[in-house]
């Protein structure tokens, strides 16, 4: 069934491939990016050529978000699915990220999602139905060294998604989270580094550890033919195809050995959550009111 879909961060690796896969499945897609010119011009032209309608939108600017979401809904004559995909990654010693560095990451990965949700949810509530998908990460469920600020932002995103799940279920709005592992995309190439280098010397030889870890992970990615970003686009497309009200809260996408551990953890948390909600008679909030 054709769905009207809005996806943020369409210029990135996951975003571009997801747009492509959704168009191939016959959906109507609006993709957002901060600008369709400059470094994004080539990818913007490619998306337009396959039928994706593009809207310029900066998730760190409330006015831009409100305008972009309205333009998307007007173009689509409605909206069925929102995919919160825009995000930024980091790599480096956590101490070396200044508060302003952290604010930027949270402004995109956390506050940006909230801006888009606030612009979109009145439409979903009015029609009594809607699907929200969040692109999170395995690092929203666990931590790895040198990704600290990114870890923190994705842990926050997971909490936001879980709360929206319960607060919106009575309005017929379903929530799902995609949790990819590390994939060879432009996301990896554009990881933000800390802006404060004044403390590097005090870390001594340990300052070599981040690069050694990153190089080793890149080699592992290159050697693993299964760990390809199209798998994430396929997972999102397949999730949308699941009947309304039956979608899982979390979908793990990883072929590097971490995925099954996170899946097991998610299943345990589901049981814990259901038990706690049931103890207070609120388990109905975990199911969609169709």
């Amino acid at each position: 069934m054709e769905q009207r879909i809005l996806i943020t961060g369409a210029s990135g690796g996951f975003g571009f491939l997801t747009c492509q896969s959704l168009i191939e499945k016959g959906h109507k897609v609006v993709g957002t990016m901060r600008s369709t010119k400059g470094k994004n011009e080539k990818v913007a032209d490619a998306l337009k050529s396959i039928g994706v309608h593009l809207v310029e939108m900066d998730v760190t600017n409330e006015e831009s978000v409100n305008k972009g979401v309205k333009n998307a809904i007007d173009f689509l004559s409605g909206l069925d699915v929102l995919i919160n995909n825009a995000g930024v990654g980091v790599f480096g010693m956590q101490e070396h990220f200044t508060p302003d560095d952290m604010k930027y990451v949270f402004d995109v990965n956390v506050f940006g999602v909230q801006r888009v949700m606030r612009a979109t949810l009145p439409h979903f509530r009015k029609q009594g139905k809607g699907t929200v998908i969040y692109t999170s990460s395995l690092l929203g469920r666990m931590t790895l060294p040198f990704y600290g600020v990114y870890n923190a932002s994705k842990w926050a995103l997971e909490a936001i998604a879980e709360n929206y799940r319960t607060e919106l279920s009575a309005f017929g709005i379903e929530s799902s989270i995609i949790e990819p592992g590390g994939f060879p995309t432009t996301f990896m190439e554009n990881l933000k580094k800390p802006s404060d280098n004044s403390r590097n010397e005090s870390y001594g030889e340990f300052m070599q550890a981040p690069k050694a870890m990153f190089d080793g992970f890149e080699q592992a990615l290159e050697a693993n033919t299964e760990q390809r970003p199209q798998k994430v686009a396929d997972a999102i497309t397949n999730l949308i195809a699941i009947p309304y009200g039956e979608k899982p809260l979390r979908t793990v996408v990883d072929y590097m050995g971490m995925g099954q551990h996170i899946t097991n953890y998610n299943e345990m948390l589901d049981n814990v959550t259901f038990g706690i909600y049931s103890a207070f008679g609120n388990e109905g909030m975990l199911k969609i009111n169709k």
Side-chain angles (χ1 to χ4, degrees), residues 159-255:
I160 286 171
E162 284 209 33
N163 276 286
Y164 270 133
R165 173 200 187 189
T166 55
E167 294 179 5
L168 298 175
S169 61
F171 300 95
I173 302 170
E174 60 181 0
S175 303
S176 289
I177 307 169
I178 295 287
E179 296 173 341
F183 285 82
T185 69
T186 54
F187 180 85
M188 297 291 288
E189 298 170 8
N190 296 323
L191 293 175
K192 303 295 181 184
K193 305 297 192 301
S195 63
D196 182 6
N197 297 314
S198 67
R199 305 177 183 216
N200 291 15
E201 188 175 346
S202 66
Y203 271 77
E205 292 184 3
F206 192 62
M207 275 304 301
Q208 305 304 316
K211 185 177 186 304
M213 181 176 176
F214 187 80
D215 290 347
F217 187 67
E218 283 205 315
Q219 292 170 13
L221 281 177
E222 187 65 28
N224 190 327
T225 58
E226 288 294 304
Q227 194 80 347
R228 292 295 175 259
Q230 182 60 46
K231 301 278 190 175
V232 178
D234 292 342
I236 294 174
T237 304
N238 293 338
L239 185 62
I240 290 172
I242 295 174
Y244 169 72
E246 299 179 17
K247 295 177 180 63
L249 174 61
R250 289 182 168 92
T251 300
V252 172
V253 189
D254 180 76
Y255 305 89

Side-chain angles (χ1 to χ4, degrees), residues 14-32:
F14 292 155
F16 178 87
L17 292 172
T18 300
C19 285
Q20 190 175 54
S21 296
L22 292 171
I23 288 291
E24 290 173 357
K25 293 294 183 180
H27 299 298
K28 294 180 66 176
V29 181
V30 171
T32 78

Side-chain angles (χ1 to χ4, degrees), residues 107-165:
D107 207 13
V108 176
N109 293 356
V110 181
F111 307 141
V113 170
Q114 179 69 349
R115 293 184 186 100
V116 176
M117 293 295 285
R118 282 171 52 82
T120 307
L121 289 179
H123 173 79
F124 279 165
R125 278 200 313 277
K126 184 177 180 180
Q127 69 185 14
K129 186 177 182 181
T131 299
V132 182
I133 297 173
Y134 305 82
T135 302
S136 181
S137 169
L138 295 190
L139 298 187
R141 311 301 285 147
M142 60 170 290
T143 64
L144 286 178
F146 318 126
Y147 296 93
V149 178
Y150 180 73
N151 284 324
S153 71
K154 289 301 183 180
W155 279 48
L157 176 63
E158 294 269 347
I160 286 171
E162 284 209 33
N163 276 286
Y164 270 133
R165 173 200 187 189

